[in-house]
Amino acid sequence: MLAIKNNLMADNAARHLGRSYEALAKSTERLSSGLRINSAKDDAAGLAVRELIRADVAVLKQGSRNARDAVSMLQTAEGAMGVIDNILIRMKELAEQAATDSYSNEQRSIINAEYVQLSLEIDRIASSTAFNSIKLLDSTDTYKIHLGTTDTIDIAAQKMDSTTLGVKVSTGTKETWDNKRGVACADDEFLAATDITADTADTFTFHFGADADVVVDIGAFDASGVSLNGLVNAINTQWAADGNSGYVAYAQFDTASQQYRLRLENPTAGAGALTITNTNNPAPLAAAQFTRAVEGTDGTALTLTTTAGATAALAALTLAINNKDAYRAKLGYLMNRLESATSVIDIQAENLLNAESRISDVDVATEMAAMTRNQVLSQAGISMLGQANSMPQMALQLLRG
């Protein structure tokens, strides 16, 4: 029907042109962004899956970086252990030299002086070796390395000073006090919540000889209890806050019971005995729960000034080298494990990226074909809209006639 009021052909051509133009705009957006899904309306379910995958990939990549940082931390400690290794070998060489009767006492004193300096250097290396303030050679803490999933790899630090290694020349009576309570793991609960009173302060007070009292308040743990490592950290933190240096509390492994116990160690040789008091509930911290031991007396335990002392030092150094090798090997296989974990995590992240790509990335060949088709349709639509707009002119010719 020829009409002049409504141009139905133009409306139809405009509607098809609009659809073609929208499809062309969508193709342009996808090709310019490289993504098939640019908004939720493109594919709501696909978008939800993609965002979850992207989050997982980000976590895995950070987990991989965590593992690499942990390897760097272990390498720092292991490098220092290599120097301690050389020092222990030199110390054992000196002990062997002093053990023979072909040297005089004066010469042994010179040998002993070098031995003492090497012992002090071991202490300096152990206390100063740190990665991001973490000291793997001067603490007994356990560090958890998160690997981008719910899994962690634990790195248990060990003290590698001359005292712990058993090669320090004793200069006086040194005492230790071991708690009778033991736990299978140092992170296990040592004081239960029921051991601690909620409404009043629970304090654990101790001092060495004439030193001022050190008061540790464990009341903050009344709701959850505290692990052995947590208690060790609380004691050492308070010890340092009171102006003292070094560590005084340790999670000590007892080979006889195969359990970890709380050990308090007199950091100053020759100072008097330990006094322990406590308030309220923490009975496991009472004096009766500790046993006392004496480690070394008046410099006769380990010295190279006598052949007997040098011979004893040889045995102690053999044990120290074995203990050092065990920890150094532990650092090595932990590095290998972390590097393996990094490889697995990187592969997981790569596979997830692959999955995300299949969901959200645009297929360029398919989208270019669609874009070409939409370009042709748009051009045809524009042409036909022009033709449709000229159709009412035909009706004017009849009106003029």
Side-chain angles (χ1 to χ4, degrees), residues 60-243:
L60 285 172
K61 286 184 175 180
Q62 183 57 55
S64 178
R65 290 192 291 270
N66 290 349
R68 288 184 170 89
D69 289 342
V71 170
S72 298
M73 179 175 69
L74 291 169
Q75 285 174 335
T76 301
E78 199 273 334
M81 289 290 289
V83 179
I84 292 177
D85 198 353
N86 294 332
I87 292 175
L88 288 173
I89 290 173
R90 174 58 180 163
M91 291 172 74
K92 191 168 185 180
E93 182 182 6
L94 291 172
E96 174 63 22
Q97 185 179 12
T100 181
D101 281 330
S102 59
Y103 288 95
S104 66
N105 290 335
E106 291 77 10
Q107 291 169 328
R108 286 195 187 88
S109 295
I110 296 172
I111 295 172
N112 189 67
E114 180 181 353
Y115 183 96
V116 170
Q117 290 301 311
L118 291 175
S119 172
L120 293 173
E121 180 60 15
I122 289 177
D123 291 341
R124 189 197 67 79
I125 292 172
S127 63
S128 64
T129 300
F131 178 88
N132 198 25
S133 300
I134 297 172
K135 297 182 178 182
L136 292 183
L137 306 183
D138 196 29
S139 76
T140 56
D141 295 335
T142 297
Y143 302 96
K144 294 184 179 294
I145 307 303
H146 210 277
L147 301 179
T149 62
T150 57
D151 296 329
T152 59
I153 292 179
D154 291 349
I155 297 177
Q158 289 182 218
K159 291 179 69 68
M160 285 288 119
D161 56 21
S162 62
T163 300
T164 305
L165 290 172
V167 297
K168 185 173 184 177
V169 174
S170 178
T171 56
T173 302
K174 191 166 188 177
E175 299 173 349
T176 59
W177 292 262
D178 288 321
N179 194 285
K180 297 176 183 178
R181 173 177 291 199
V183 289
C185 174
D187 284 324
D188 287 349
E189 182 182 78
F190 191 76
L191 293 180
T194 54
D195 290 327
I196 306 170
T197 307
D199 55 351
T200 33
D202 282 304
T203 58
F204 167 44
T205 305
F206 63 96
H207 71 265
F208 297 102
D211 294 341
D213 289 347
V214 176
V215 182
V216 180
D217 185 0
I218 57 175
F221 304 105
D222 67 281
S224 60
V226 60
S227 67
L228 177 55
N229 274 336
L231 182 59
V232 166
N233 289 334
I235 294 171
N236 287 329
T237 299
Q238 188 60 51
W239 176 258
D242 288 347

Side-chain angles (χ1 to χ4, degrees), residues 15-86:
R15 178 170 57 83
H16 285 291
L17 175 59
R19 291 174 59 185
S20 298
Y21 190 78
E22 288 176 0
L24 181 61
K26 180 61 65 178
S27 294
T28 302
E29 180 185 27
R30 287 175 174 172
L31 289 169
S32 61
S33 68
L35 296 173
R36 182 182 68 86
I37 305 173
N38 290 283
S39 66
K41 69 178 183 178
D42 294 334
D43 184 352
L47 177 69
V49 174
R50 183 190 72 181
E51 296 308 306
L52 288 173
I53 292 176
R54 287 181 59 197
D56 288 341
V57 169
V59 169
L60 285 172
K61 286 184 175 180
Q62 183 57 55
S64 178
R65 290 192 291 270
N66 290 349
R68 288 184 170 89
D69 289 342
V71 170
S72 298
M73 179 175 69
L74 291 169
Q75 285 174 335
T76 301
E78 199 273 334
M81 289 290 289
V83 179
I84 292 177
D85 198 353
N86 294 332

